[in-house]
Amino acid sequence: MTFNIHLYLRRLAHDFAGKYSALYKYPFLQYLANACKIMMINEYELIAWSYWLDGLELSEDEYTLEELIIFTALVVKVQLNDDQRLVE
């Protein structure tokens, strides 16, 4: 993970936790960083992911916060890399 990605993740975690005050009890930055490492997210995908997370509404669900973060990272990764022309 590059330094720029880490800085952007810190900013994203701070802004998102400000939007939902209940997130201060979770290691939100660590969840974001883990999802970035697992999905190997680059800067372009991180920007798209941040827009996707801005529209996310948190509710009492059967999924944990960490699972929601990984699922959203996967959705963004698949949507941005779904171009078949790159394979040809």
Side-chain angles (χ1 to χ4, degrees), residues 38-56:
I38 290 169
M39 297 296 166
M40 293 189 279
I41 291 189
N42 61 30
E43 287 141 355
Y44 172 70
E45 294 162 340
L46 181 59
I47 300 298
W49 188 30
S50 70
Y51 283 118
W52 217 90
L53 286 173
D54 280 342
L56 184 66

Side-chain angles (χ1 to χ4, degrees), residues 13-24 53-58:
H14 180 268
D15 291 347
F16 204 78
K19 184 177 175 185
Y20 297 104
S21 59
L23 289 180
Y24 282 111
L53 286 173
D54 280 342
L56 184 66
E57 293 295 326
L58 297 179

